[in-house]
Amino acid sequence: MSPLAFYPLAFVCIASAMGVVLSRNPVRSALSLVASLFCLAVFYVFLQAHLVAALQIIVYAGAVMVLFLFVITLLNLESDRGLGEKPVLSAIGFGAGAIVAGGLIAALSRTSLGARAVTLVPTFGTTKVLARQLFGDYLVAFELTSMLLLVAVVGAVVLAKRDGSYEGDEQEAAVPARSEEASH
Amino acid sequence: MIGTVHYLALSAVLFSIGAVGAVVRRNVIIIFMSIELMLNAANLAFVAGSNSLGSMNGQSIVFFVMTVAAAEAAVGLAVILALFRNRQTVAADEIALLKW
């Protein structure tokens, strides 16, 4: 990837990530996050991870962010006070974040990753190779993720269910009991 | 020429922004989005490492991270809905039931 493509894209990615944290309006935060995720998908394409890039757009920028926007609009939140309320604590947070970033970059710049030039095989990153690995080496983990998703769906439905609907269930349960009494 | 180190540095910056967002903001939904940002930074590091080592394992792990993140988003947003229904707030500092 040429620097002319990398740096503008990285700038947009970081700027929209900052937008997520700094924006007062939750909807604006969510849309900034979508922009950031799109930039990451472009990076994945340049890194020969085509399937991951497609999944990133479909799963993250599509499904997950729609879920976020749905909840934000459902709750009808007014813009909160953002960072303005406790400026000292916010400044401490940003300072700590800058230290973390500096430390991570200092540690990562000494990595041996990429020091040795690796020639990628022509099939690197194809769906076929990734699928062979997912359904071969990682088969057990793959099946466990299907269990995880099932549990998550059931959990989400149970948690998001209205409390009022339990009364409805009791009423429904009470109706056959009364008809039994009537038949006796 | 852009190498693996550049991608790792970008990943570190994104992770730090996500960490700051999770610490600084009060809105639970924004904290959630910051966590997604951190997961995505880790994904970028995995994909960059996978490319630099010529091994597909990193991309497989990204697949699993995405699955876990999707499950986490579904359950977490349901928790936020239930919380808002009971307390009429999504501010993290007003939810202090265990504090005495």
Side-chain angles (χ1 to χ4, degrees), chain A residues 1 7 21 23 29 37 43-44 47 56 60 75 80-81 83 97 101 113-114 118 120 133 138 160-161, chain B residues 2 6-8 10 16 20 24-27 30 36 40 43 51-52 56-57 60 64 66 69 84-85:
Chain A
M1 191 171 182
Y7 286 111
V21 176
S23 171
S29 287
L37 298 181
F43 285 127
Y44 293 161
L47 287 167
Q56 170 88 358
Y60 260 118
L75 298 186
D80 65 9
R81 282 148 292 181
L83 298 166
L113 264 184
V118 176
L120 299 177
Q133 198 166 50
Y138 295 108
K161 206 172 167 187
Chain B
I2 300 298
H6 293 79
Y7 286 105
L8 292 179
L10 175 63
S16 309
V20 169
V24 167
R25 291 302 298 258
R26 309 163 64 233
N27 190 330
I30 310 256
E36 297 288 333
N40 272 283
N43 278 353
N51 191 59
S52 127
M56 290 292 287
N57 287 307
S60 298
F64 292 120
M66 276 186 186
F84 186 78
R85 197 174 293 135

Side-chain angles (χ1 to χ4, degrees), chain A residues 47 120 124, chain B residues 45-59:
Chain A
L47 287 167
L120 299 177
F124 181 81
Chain B
F46 270 125
V47 173
S50 158
N51 191 59
S52 127
L53 295 172
S55 145
M56 290 292 287
N57 287 307
Q59 295 191 19

Side-chain angles (χ1 to χ4, degrees), chain B:
Chain B
M1 190 60 198
I2 300 298
T4 310
V5 177
H6 293 79
Y7 286 105
L8 292 179
L10 175 63
S11 157
V13 171
L14 285 179
F15 183 88
S16 309
I17 293 173
V20 169
V23 172
V24 167
R25 291 302 298 258
R26 309 163 64 233
N27 190 330
V28 179
I29 295 176
I30 310 256
I31 293 176
F32 232 73
M33 287 190 221
S34 303
I35 293 170
E36 297 288 333
L37 204 56
M38 286 194 274
L39 286 169
N40 272 283
N43 278 353
L44 180 63
F46 270 125
V47 173
S50 158
N51 191 59
S52 127
L53 295 172
S55 145
M56 290 292 287
N57 287 307
Q59 295 191 19
S60 298
I61 288 171
V62 168
F63 179 85
F64 292 120
V65 172
M66 276 186 186
T67 317
V68 172
E72 173 237 352
V75 175
L77 289 171
V79 168
I80 292 176
L81 272 182
L83 192 67
F84 186 78
R85 197 174 293 135
N86 287 322
R87 315 263 310 169
Q88 272 73 47
T89 180
V90 288
D93 53 354
E94 288 174 29
I95 303 155
L97 290 172
L98 288 177
K99 201 171 158 188
W100 57 282

Side-chain angles (χ1 to χ4, degrees), chain A residues 71 81 86 90 102 115 149 161-162:
Chain A
V71 171
R81 282 148 292 181
K86 289 172 181 166
S90 294
L149 285 175
K161 206 172 167 187
R162 276 183 190 284

Side-chain angles (χ1 to χ4, degrees), chain A residues 68-82:
Chain A
F68 269 96
L69 282 173
F70 177 73
V71 171
I72 292 169
T73 48
L74 186 69
L75 298 186
N76 193 19
L77 301 170
E78 72 274 26
S79 301
D80 65 9
R81 282 148 292 181

